[in-house]
Amino acid sequence: DAGITQSPRHKVTETGTPVTLRCHQTENHRYMYWYRQDPGHGLRLIHYSYGVKDTDKGEVSDGYSVSRSKTEDFLLTLESATSSQTSVYFCAIRLNLDRGGGNTIYFGEGSWLTVV
Amino acid sequence: SQQGEEDPQALSIQEGENATMNCSYKTSINNLQWYRQNSGRGLVHLILIRSNEREKHSGRLRVTLDTSKKSSSLLITASRAADTASYFCATDRGNEKLTFGTGTRLTIIP
């Protein structure tokens, strides 16, 4: 258990409201990720972080911002939620368990967001 | 854009049979990984195969990788009801990110 906690796990919000999802880890992993999962699209990377205050965009970053002010927390913010952002959001951390340099990902349990 | 595409999108087999899923990708990779996702849960890592490997085994799982064809396959032998899940391939290009495919939904019929 890599100790990832996502909150909230379920949320319904109205179009135009801001929403923040939190990912908390307990094991000091450097890399953290936010993915969204939608039918027919699989998982798509929104943003990721490679250290405190170090973040970068993924393939679907428009409409999202992130912050990482301390190692254990990675926040995903929807500044003004839209119906197209209704999705399941997964936080993940990178585990370097392979001595050959292959990195695997450990996922949280997901946050179900509905924008009405 | 998706790097990996799984085939088939959905697969139903009888318990005890073998299940084969395929993954194709577009660019060169450092390694390819397979993950499983049970309904309503996060993804769980199953197995990793490096670009210089052709086959790898882990329990009832067998993964092959053909870098010339940019494809991989996941074989689950002697399937069980508990294997019912979605399976995703993910490619690592050495750029700190994994890119996932769209998944194969496997149903094992008791």
Side-chain angles (χ1 to χ4, degrees), chain A residues 49-69:
Chain A
S49 170
Y50 46 96
V52 173
K53 298 184 180 179
D54 292 323
T55 64
D56 204 351
K57 296 179 179 179
E59 61 179 304
V60 290
S61 59
D62 287 348
Y64 301 95
S65 63
V66 289
S67 66
R68 192 160 178 208
S69 59

Side-chain angles (χ1 to χ4, degrees), chain B residues 7-87:
Chain B
D7 170 59
Q9 290 187 344
L11 177 64
S12 291
I13 61 172
Q14 295 288 332
E15 190 169 18
E17 294 179 341
N18 296 341
T20 300
M21 289 157 270
N22 303 295
C23 170
S24 59
Y25 57 92
K26 299 174 183 175
T27 64
S28 62
I29 60 173
N30 282 8
N31 64 73
L32 185 143
Q33 303 175 29
W34 286 90
Y35 288 75
R36 182 186 71 223
Q37 183 181 34
N38 291 98
S39 181
R41 306 296 298 276
L43 281 72
V44 174
H45 178 258
L46 294 176
I47 193 167
L48 179 153
I49 186 166
R50 297 188 187 89
S51 60
N52 62 353
E53 297 176 314
R54 291 296 167 261
E55 186 171 314
K56 200 163 184 179
H57 297 255
S58 176
R60 293 184 296 112
L61 304 180
R62 172 179 169 250
V63 171
T64 63
L65 179 65
D66 186 335
T67 53
S68 66
K69 295 181 179 178
K70 292 187 171 57
S71 67
S72 173
S73 67
L74 171 66
L75 169 68
I76 303 174
T77 61
S79 63
R80 306 167 181 170
D83 294 328
T84 293
S86 291
Y87 292 82

Side-chain angles (χ1 to χ4, degrees), chain A residues 31-104:
Chain A
Y31 286 85
M32 300 182 75
Y33 304 84
W34 277 107
Y35 286 88
R36 61 177 288 176
Q37 184 175 28
D38 305 285
H41 291 278
L43 279 90
R44 293 178 292 175
L45 182 65
I46 305 171
H47 282 280
Y48 70 103
S49 170
Y50 46 96
V52 173
K53 298 184 180 179
D54 292 323
T55 64
D56 204 351
K57 296 179 179 179
E59 61 179 304
V60 290
S61 59
D62 287 348
Y64 301 95
S65 63
V66 289
S67 66
R68 192 160 178 208
S69 59
K70 46 187 177 178
T71 301
E72 56 265 37
D73 289 325
F74 191 32
L75 304 181
L76 177 70
T77 298
L78 291 66
E79 300 291 348
S80 178
T82 67
S83 58
S84 65
Q85 293 176 311
T86 292
S87 187
V88 184
Y89 292 86
F90 286 98
C91 175
I93 57 175
R94 193 174 83 174
L95 307 174
N96 190 4
L97 299 179
D98 186 282
R99 294 180 181 178
N103 300 298
T104 63

